[in-house]
Amino acid sequence: MTDQTSKDRLAQAARLVRLRRDKGLTAEQLAQAMTEAGAKVSRGAISNWERGTNGIVSSKLPTLARLLGCTEGYLLRGEDAEIMPADTPAKASTAPTIFDTSSSSFLSQSATTGHAMKPLTKSTKLKNVCYDIRGPLLQTANKMETDGHRIIKLNVGNPAPFGLEAPHEILRDVSMNLTEATGYSDSQGIFSARKAVLQYYQSKGLLSAVDVRDVYLGNGVSELIVMTMQALMNDGDEVLIPMPDYPLWTAAANLSGGTAVHYRCNEDDNWHPDIEDIKSKITDKTKGIVVINPNNPTGALYSNEVLKQIVDLAVEHNLVIMADEIYDRVLYDDVVHTPMCTLTDEALVLSYNGLSKSHRIAGFRAGWMLVSGKKDHASDFIEGLDMLASMRLCANAPAQHAIQTAMGGHQSMQELTAETGRLYKQREMAISRLNAIKGISCTKPQGAFYCFPKMDPEIYPVKNDMQFMMDLLVEEKVLMVQGTGFNWDKPDHFRVVFLPNLLNLEDAMDRLDRFFAKKRQQFGTD
């Protein structure tokens, strides 16, 4: 995309956001209104238009312009003045309307209460926040299940529903400590758990001299990501985040008032970060860089060479390194993961990890963050972390007692990812079946539970990947998340979670095979 095209799309996005707000609508309400008007569109698509990620689909433009009360030319290019269409009442002539989400129709508030009420809309801080992993697709799937349909869910990396049980010794130790965990803990967490985390990184080769005060326990890594962004980002600050990414990182950056700037990962290079692209996107506003390794959604494990290049850039430009390493123990093919905190003590490194995936206790919300490396310039930032940790009082107290046992005990995940293990076999089958579908290619992941297949745009000329996934859900009862839901910039990828057992995964792949064959016939590319 050229600079001018990017500017035009952002200007278009700004006009769309303003017009929608002037009508008192949320993005979801606008999407439902368009669907009712015959121009079916998802809330995620609206969000992508409003971020400037995608241009407005031409077939939806007439309905969109009519609902927003403007000309198509104004919405696209800012041409002419805003014109209220003949069938759209002027704001001054009628009571404001609100959208009744229960009946999916517009109602006059005066008709139900006798007086006008201004619609209560979500905070503008949420305008660029999107989390499609639990968005409209999941909502539709849940409704279908209520109606009696069986859905194969390949959308969330939650091990428990797929029969991947937590280690018994962890459950036993947590239960034995329940009487000691009924009150608040220290705001950063109990000493034994933080000490176990510290010793884990020391055993991996931690360079800096740190102590338990540098470990923060959280309600999963998710809470700590949000805390970090709130402590780090001022309005207008930028943070570099991989593309594709785990979307909470982008959402947390935007919610904090900062700007997520996405650097590209190269599919042709096993999804490794593009170092030159990172260099080109560092500005005087850049505060830090996020590294997700192993990566979600691609499953890529980064080489030490690439990690060291990222470290060099962080040191050169005084960037905070935020290393999301939640899948560091979910590895295949005898590969070895290198923690970022073992590569430098010349940059501030924040290492995030937890037990949700490696020990199959996602519901316990047992996560942590380690602060290491160069800290002499970061005392005020760390004070902010302490403040935010205190404000949320503490992490889940019973779950904290799982950490010491988990870190020092038997690592059962290794049995699942070995060649004879269930996860290894499921990965092999998923990759083999996906690559056998005409026009689908998939890089083999070396970590995590995910792969990120590509659809050849010559064979599957998809314009709206969320709608494409919605078609899959409705037609074949398989739930997955589209690539743009992970901030990928083209509608040509999707994420597959290969946690289901082989029998159910085979069923899912049969359905995918059938669905893509049907789409090739529709596109005339078979």
Side-chain angles (χ1 to χ4, degrees), residues 195-210:
K195 187 69 173 179
V197 169
L198 177 60
Q199 290 173 337
Y200 175 73
Y201 287 105
Q202 289 173 334
S203 72
K204 296 284 185 178
L206 175 66
L207 291 182
S208 302
V210 298

Side-chain angles (χ1 to χ4, degrees), residues 180-358:
E180 305 298 321
T182 57
Y184 298 130
S185 73
D186 181 282
S187 62
Q188 287 185 231
I190 61 175
F191 178 85
S192 61
R194 286 190 286 157
K195 187 69 173 179
V197 169
L198 177 60
Q199 290 173 337
Y200 175 73
Y201 287 105
Q202 289 173 334
S203 72
K204 296 284 185 178
L206 175 66
L207 291 182
S208 302
V210 298
D211 58 33
V212 293
R213 291 174 296 179
D214 296 305
V215 178
Y216 297 78
L217 303 188
N219 293 299
V221 168
S222 299
E223 180 187 50
L224 296 165
I225 289 172
V226 174
M227 279 176 50
T228 300
M229 291 301 177
Q230 289 175 334
L232 180 67
M233 307 292 284
N234 291 314
D235 290 351
D237 285 344
E238 297 175 355
V239 61
L240 294 168
I241 297 175
M243 178 177 67
D245 73 338
Y246 177 58
L248 178 64
W249 280 105
T250 294
N254 292 335
L255 186 60
S256 69
T259 300
V261 177
H262 294 99
Y263 63 85
R264 184 168 293 278
C265 295
N266 289 329
E267 188 169 14
D268 293 338
D269 186 25
N270 292 318
W271 287 112
H272 274 63
D274 185 328
I275 299 300
E276 293 305 314
D277 192 52
I278 295 174
K279 290 179 181 178
S280 71
K281 291 174 178 174
I282 297 174
T283 71
D284 57 1
K285 295 181 180 179
T286 308
K287 297 289 286 290
I289 181 168
V290 174
V291 180
I292 306 175
N293 179 40
N295 183 267
N296 177 8
T298 66
L301 181 74
Y302 300 160
S303 68
N304 284 4
E305 178 185 358
V306 166
L307 293 177
K308 289 175 181 177
Q309 288 178 292
I310 293 174
V311 165
D312 289 343
L313 289 177
V315 172
E316 178 183 353
H317 297 280
N318 192 27
L319 305 181
V320 180
I321 298 173
M322 289 161 273
D324 183 345
E325 299 169 340
I326 190 71
Y327 296 99
D328 72 330
R329 283 153 291 175
V330 187
L331 302 171
Y332 308 92
D333 308 321
D334 297 321
V335 297
V336 177
H337 174 268
T338 301
M340 293 291 277
C341 64
T342 67
L343 296 177
T344 184
D345 56 7
E346 296 180 6
L348 182 66
V349 181
L350 309 178
S351 302
Y352 304 82
N353 212 321
L355 306 181
S356 293
K357 315 300 182 177
S358 61

Side-chain angles (χ1 to χ4, degrees), residues 267 440 452-457 460 462 465 483-484 488-494:
E267 188 169 14
I440 302 295
F452 201 57
K454 180 179 181 179
M455 300 179 286
D456 185 339
Y460 306 102
V462 176
D465 56 350
T484 56
W488 187 244
D489 61 350
K490 295 178 181 178
D492 60 357
H493 282 75
F494 56 96

Side-chain angles (χ1 to χ4, degrees), residues 13-30:
R15 287 192 294 275
L16 175 55
V17 170
R18 182 177 61 78
L19 288 166
R20 174 177 60 76
R21 289 178 183 163
D22 286 348
K23 286 291 185 181
L25 301 175
T26 66
E28 182 175 359
Q29 290 168 355
L30 179 57

